[in-house]
């Protein structure tokens, strides 16, 4: 039976890493990621070779907790480096900046024309991975509950549908959430694009709605079948119905996009930064590139709420992106702002350009994964 080493990060977040009793399988050497990211741990247990007896949420938002009793086995390989007392005084991670004048020019070049929208749609529609055995790039969306993951999926599909549409929520109950992959389609009747957005339960939201580190890594490694329902008392393991024991490249996740809500950063617990960065280290160990989406930017900047083309002229949004970079341990060059469709009934060309630019940004890093994991070819790919 395995023991589990728990590590709590401020305000009740629980980051649980299993300590196997038997031999483990070492993962590939640490993969260097975004500027500012720490080196990944030297080893990582293969989820397909370890039995899980106990399953605790990776992130939880419990009410009042007593001081935790932390017990770590001597010489445990997977013990995390720091422990924060969850009963300590809670403080906001960031404070919103005061109203500031907009910048004189865009701090990122962006063309907001209909021609640019058409060009981006064509680029994304025609994208196919460089790897011959894979036809679509699989992107996993990860973020706190309510950060806008499902809304992003709906918004991107809306752009290609030519009208605002809403996807069903992934969560089917408070204790059971389904892994759902959304194939982004072009116009009706056309083939799907080379992009699949994978949505799972948000990180946090209650004692019974967290994801374990093992479950997340199982999804990324391609072991988790489509439609699998995550449940705290039914961890992913080799006996799971539909479990993919030997996933191929097409089963795996090729890029992870962290989704952070700009309007809720003030409410994020202090320890979330450490938790995010620990999670990123394990994902980097698998050689998977990571980017970030900053959602609801219109809710923190009045000018952008009126006109989305002002997003890269906003000093508030620029400063907020720097803070998100610090939160994730990620350079701001990997972070892009987006505005999802929510109450709108009609599409807006500028909003479409911002969304499509985010998709293009994601695909660039997914393509790097294929370059890293595809043998060198002597000639160009032939369709």
């Amino acid at each position: 039976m395995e023991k589990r080493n728990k590590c709590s990060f401020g305000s009740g977040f629980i980051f649980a890493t299993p300590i196997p009793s038997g031999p483990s399988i070492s993962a590939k050497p640490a993969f260097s990621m975004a500027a500012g990211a720490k080196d990944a741990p030297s080893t990582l247990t293969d989820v397909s070779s370890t039995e899980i007896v106990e399953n605790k949420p990776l992130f939880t938002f419990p009410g009042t907790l007593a001081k935790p009793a932390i017990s770590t086995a001597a010489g445990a390989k997977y013990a995390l480096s720091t422990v924060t007392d969850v009963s300590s005084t809670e403080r906001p991670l960031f404070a919103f900046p005061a109203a500031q004048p907009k910048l004189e020019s865009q701090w990122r070049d962006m063309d907001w024309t209909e021609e640019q929208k058409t060009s981006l749609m064509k680029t994304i529609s025609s994208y196919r991975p460089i790897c011959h055995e894979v036809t679509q790039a699989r992107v996993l969306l990860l973020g706190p509950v309510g950060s806008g993951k499902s809304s992003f999926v709906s918004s991107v599909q809306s752009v290609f549908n030519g009208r605002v549409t809403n996807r069903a929520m992934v969560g089917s109950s408070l204790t059971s959430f389904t892994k759902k992959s959304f194939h982004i389609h072009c116009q009706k009747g056309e083939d799907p694009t080379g992009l699949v957005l994978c949505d799972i339960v948000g990180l946090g939201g209650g004692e019974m709605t967290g994801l374990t580190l093992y479950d997340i890594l199982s999804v990324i490694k391609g072991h988790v079948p489509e439609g699998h329902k995550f449940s705290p008392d039914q961890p992913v393991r080799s006996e799971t119905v539909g479990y993919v024991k030997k996933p191929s490249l097409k089963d795996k996740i090729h890029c992870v996009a962290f989704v952070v809500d700009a309007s809720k950063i003030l409410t994020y617990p202090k320890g979330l930064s450490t938790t995010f960065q620990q999670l990123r280290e394990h994902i980097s160990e698998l050689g998977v590139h990571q980017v970030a989406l900053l959602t609801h930017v219109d809710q923190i900047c009045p000018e952008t709420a009126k006109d989305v083309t002002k997003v890269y002229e906003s000093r508030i949004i620029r400063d907020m992106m720097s803070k998100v970079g610090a939160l994730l341990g990620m350079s701001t060059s990997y972070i892009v702002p987006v505005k999802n469709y929510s109450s709108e009934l009609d599409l807006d060309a500028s909003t479409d350009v911002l969304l499509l630019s985010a998709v293009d940004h994601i695909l660039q890093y997914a393509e790097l994964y294929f370059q890293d994991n595809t043998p060198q070819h002597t000639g160009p790919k032939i369709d």
Side-chain angles (χ1 to χ4, degrees):
M1 179 177 294
E2 288 183 2
K3 296 181 181 178
R4 180 172 292 272
N5 178 42
K6 298 181 183 177
C7 209
S8 298
F9 300 103
S11 299
F13 280 88
I14 308 299
F15 193 104
T17 307
I19 305 174
S21 57
S24 61
I25 298 177
S26 297
K28 295 183 290 185
F31 183 85
S32 177
M33 277 299 303
K38 299 179 181 178
D39 291 336
S42 59
T43 60
L44 182 65
T45 302
D46 190 327
V47 298
S48 64
S49 62
T50 306
E51 291 296 327
I52 305 173
V53 176
E54 183 184 10
N55 192 53
K56 297 292 185 182
L58 176 58
F59 302 109
T60 63
F61 285 104
T64 302
L65 292 179
K67 293 184 178 180
I70 304 296
S71 176
T72 304
K77 289 184 180 180
Y78 308 101
L80 299 180
S81 58
T82 58
V83 176
T84 302
D85 185 350
V86 296
S87 63
S88 59
T89 304
E90 295 184 7
R91 293 183 298 171
L93 186 60
F94 301 122
F96 285 122
Q100 299 175 356
K102 70 177 183 178
L103 302 170
E104 293 183 0
S105 61
Q106 293 188 122
W107 46 276
R108 279 184 184 168
D109 291 332
M110 180 68 76
D111 182 356
W112 300 100
T113 63
E114 281 282 355
E115 290 76 14
Q116 175 67 0
K117 173 183 173 180
T118 301
S119 175
L120 285 168
M121 289 185 70
K122 182 178 180 181
T123 298
I124 295 168
S125 299
S126 61
Y127 169 78
R128 293 297 181 271
I130 191 174
C131 181
H132 291 269
E133 63 180 282
V134 180
T135 59
Q136 293 179 304
R138 299 179 62 81
V139 178
L140 177 64
L141 304 177
L142 279 179
V145 173
S147 57
K149 302 188 311 305
S150 297
S151 295
F152 178 71
V153 174
S154 296
S155 297
V156 171
Q157 188 60 74
S158 294
V159 176
F160 284 96
N161 286 347
R163 59 187 177 86
V164 177
T165 56
N166 292 308
R167 293 280 195 175
M169 297 299 292
V170 174
S172 57
S173 72
L174 292 177
T175 58
S176 181
F177 293 82
T178 304
K179 176 199 169 190
K180 181 69 175 177
S181 298
F182 295 95
H183 298 255
I184 303 302
H185 288 261
C186 300
Q187 295 296 331
K188 187 175 181 180
E190 296 183 9
D191 293 334
T193 67
L195 173 66
V196 176
L197 296 176
C198 302
D199 195 4
I200 56 177
V201 58
L203 306 178
E207 288 190 18
M208 299 299 291
T209 60
L211 277 179
T212 64
L213 173 63
Y214 248 54
D215 284 349
I216 292 175
L217 297 183
S218 292
V219 172
I220 295 173
K221 288 185 175 185
H223 293 296
V224 181
E226 181 68 9
H228 172 76
K229 290 187 176 181
F230 295 96
S231 181
D233 58 352
Q234 295 180 352
V236 175
R237 58 180 68 188
S238 58
E239 291 79 13
T240 297
V241 176
Y243 184 88
V244 182
K245 293 184 179 180
K246 295 182 179 180
S248 64
L249 193 61
K250 65 181 178 62
D251 298 314
K252 299 179 180 180
I253 292 297
H254 310 124
C255 180
V256 171
F258 287 96
V259 184
V260 179
D261 184 347
S263 70
K264 294 182 179 178
I265 289 181
L266 188 64
T267 67
Y268 288 160
K270 181 181 178 182
L272 182 58
S273 178
T274 303
T275 304
F276 264 133
Q277 293 181 42
Q278 291 279 354
L279 177 59
R280 289 195 61 235
E281 287 173 359
H282 285 282
I283 297 174
S284 296
E285 178 102 357
L286 300 178
V288 177
H289 293 263
Q290 300 146 61
V291 298
L293 306 177
L294 180 62
T295 62
H296 301 128
V297 291
D298 53 310
Q299 296 184 22
I300 65 169
C301 176
E303 291 298 320
T304 301
K306 297 176 184 177
D307 182 359
V308 74
T309 66
K310 304 300 182 184
V311 64
Y312 285 124
E313 296 177 20
S314 171
R315 193 183 305 270
I316 293 176
I317 293 175
R318 187 188 65 176
D319 292 345
M320 188 60 67
M321 286 185 61
S322 296
K323 292 172 181 176
V324 173
L327 172 74
L328 297 172
M330 178 184 288
S331 168
T332 54
S333 62
Y334 295 84
I335 307 170
V336 290
V338 295
K339 178 184 180 297
N340 293 329
Y341 285 109
S342 54
S343 60
E344 298 86 352
L345 296 178
D346 299 310
L347 296 177
D348 170 72
S350 298
T351 300
D352 292 349
V353 168
L354 197 61
L355 286 163
L356 292 169
S357 296
V359 173
D360 183 59
H361 179 74
I362 290 171
L363 288 176
Q364 290 180 38
Y365 286 95
E367 189 65 9
L368 286 179
Y369 178 90
F370 294 120
Q371 292 178 17
D372 295 337
N373 292 274
T374 303
Q376 295 296 317
H377 298 285
T378 56
K381 180 179 178 181
I382 301 176
D383 293 331

